[in-house]
């Protein structure tokens, strides 16, 4: 089995390092800063970086690519619909690539950016590299896409197996759960997750990966069909059509944008 380890970058980014013990090869996911990856490679000199996987074009996800590419010659894969530095493989929806002997599928998930992709591996225990689309207890801001696009993107990811591990790229879990509690104050699953995450963060521990089954129970953006979520959105005065899950999603995304 592969090992997936977080390397911290900037204030709250994670660069996921996927490691194959047998081949001593690894892949870096969204390296906005080359330094954490280079430091790991220097400390593990028998390992080589074979691949760099990019979910979208934002600088905190691609800033380290040129240096890493120059230093290691790693193959760079990223979304076909965005400008990705040093990209060797441009991926569109449904395309697959082999990374460390595993087959990964590209899933187009526009919303945060126009061409954002996620990577899904359904082999062994399924896992997802969700970038800035699906967060633990949250979802990404709408910088280039629409609420309708993001809702559809999340529904695509929600259709994956419930046991899928979710590796997103920011440590936003604690703040996302505060919002989730505001949306569903009576949800005991959210309250329990808040307590667990608060304990982890008090010790500066990583709260990821999550898994889809937990997100279905605690992530308001995957719960827009629930009566309590619809009622909370309506109470904010942002909801014109309570019958539409897409409208509920747009309302709570707007609420989250101004939530303190």
């Amino acid at each position: 089995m592969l090992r997936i380890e977080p390397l911290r970058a900037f204030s709250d980014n994670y660069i996921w390092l996927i490691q194959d013990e047998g081949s001593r090869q690894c892949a870096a996911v969204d390296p906005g800063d080359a330094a954490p990856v280079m430091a790991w490679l220097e400390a593990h000199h028998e390992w080589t970086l074979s691949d760099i996987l990019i979910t979208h074009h934002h600088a905190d996800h691609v800033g380290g690519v040129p240096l890493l590419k120059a230093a290691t010659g790693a193959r760079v894969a990223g979304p076909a619909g965005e400008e990705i530095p040093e990209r060797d493989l441009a991926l569109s929806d449904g395309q697959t690539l082999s990374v460390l002997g595993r087959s990964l599928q590209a899933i187009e998930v526009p919303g945060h950016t126009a061409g954002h992709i996620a990577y899904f591996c359904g082999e062994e225990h399924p896992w997802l590299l969700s970038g800035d689309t699906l967060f633990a207890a949250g979802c990404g801001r709408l910088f280039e896409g629409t609420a309708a696009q993001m809702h559809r993107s999340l529904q695509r990811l929600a259709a994956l197996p419930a046991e899928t591990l979710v590796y997103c790229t920011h440590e936003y879990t604690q703040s996302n759960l505060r919002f989730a509690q505001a949306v569903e104050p009576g949800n005991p699953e959210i309250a329990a997750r808040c307590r667990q995450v608060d304990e982890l963060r008090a010790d500066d521990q990583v709260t990821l990966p999550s898994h889809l089954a937990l997100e279905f129970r605690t992530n308001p953006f995957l719960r827009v069909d629930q009566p309590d979520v619809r009622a909370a959105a309506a109470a904010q005065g942002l909801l014109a059509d309570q019958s539409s899950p897409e409208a509920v999603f747009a309302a709570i995304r707007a609420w989250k944008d101004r939530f303190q």
Side-chain angles (χ1 to χ4, degrees):
M1 289 182 62
L2 299 179
R3 171 181 169 83
I4 305 180
E5 175 184 358
L7 304 180
R8 300 188 187 206
F10 310 118
S11 62
D12 53 34
N13 284 64
Y14 292 131
I15 300 166
W16 294 105
L17 194 70
I18 309 170
Q19 304 158 40
D20 177 30
E21 186 73 34
S23 67
R24 289 291 201 272
Q25 291 186 319
C26 58
V29 182
D30 285 346
D33 183 1
V37 182
M38 293 300 296
W40 192 94
L41 291 171
E42 289 167 8
H44 301 78
H45 55 84
E46 72 277 17
W47 287 70
T48 58
L49 184 70
S50 62
D51 290 274
I52 298 170
L53 304 177
I54 301 299
T55 63
H56 65 291
H57 67 85
H58 284 165
D60 63 324
H61 293 252
V62 303
V65 171
L67 194 157
L68 288 172
K69 174 74 170 177
T72 67
R75 179 183 61 170
V76 178
E82 298 190 354
E83 292 295 324
I84 305 299
E86 307 292 340
R87 183 180 57 201
D88 300 300
L89 184 58
L91 297 170
S92 298
D93 189 49
Q95 284 190 279
T96 60
L97 70 161
S98 179
V99 176
L100 303 176
R102 306 303 195 276
S103 178
L104 272 62
Q105 179 186 8
I107 304 173
E108 289 184 356
V109 283
H112 182 68
T113 64
H116 197 303
I117 63 171
Y119 297 85
F120 174 67
C121 180
E123 300 176 18
E124 299 172 348
H125 302 290
W127 45 274
L128 174 73
L129 305 171
S130 61
D132 284 2
T133 296
L134 175 61
F135 288 131
C139 75
R141 285 181 177 269
L142 306 178
F143 287 119
E144 298 174 10
T146 66
Q149 285 179 313
M150 181 64 94
H151 176 62
R152 286 194 296 270
S153 293
L154 291 175
Q155 290 302 299
R156 292 195 70 186
L157 300 183
L160 298 173
E163 67 271 22
T164 300
L165 293 174
V166 179
Y167 295 88
C168 60
T169 46
H170 288 278
E171 184 56 77
Y172 291 164
T173 314
Q174 194 170 41
S175 62
N176 285 342
L177 283 168
R178 285 197 294 271
F179 177 70
Q181 276 199 308
V183 176
E184 290 189 273
N187 184 328
E189 297 265 13
I190 293 174
R193 192 178 185 187
C194 280
R195 291 191 294 271
Q196 179 188 46
V197 166
D198 286 347
E199 291 176 2
L200 289 171
R201 295 308 297 153
D203 291 332
D204 195 31
Q205 297 297 305
V206 177
T207 65
L208 304 169
S210 179
H211 59 86
L212 280 179
L214 179 60
E215 296 307 312
F216 295 147
R217 300 194 300 268
T218 60
N219 188 326
F221 298 102
L222 296 185
R223 295 175 56 77
V224 293
D225 59 342
Q226 297 298 307
D228 286 351
V229 177
R230 290 198 299 271
Q236 291 294 310
L238 297 169
L239 188 59
D241 177 9
Q242 292 192 45
S243 67
S244 164
E246 183 179 296
V248 177
F249 174 84
I252 64 171
R253 182 60 262 182
W255 180 9
K256 178 64 163 63
D257 288 343
R258 58 179 174 78
F259 184 77
Q260 298 296 324

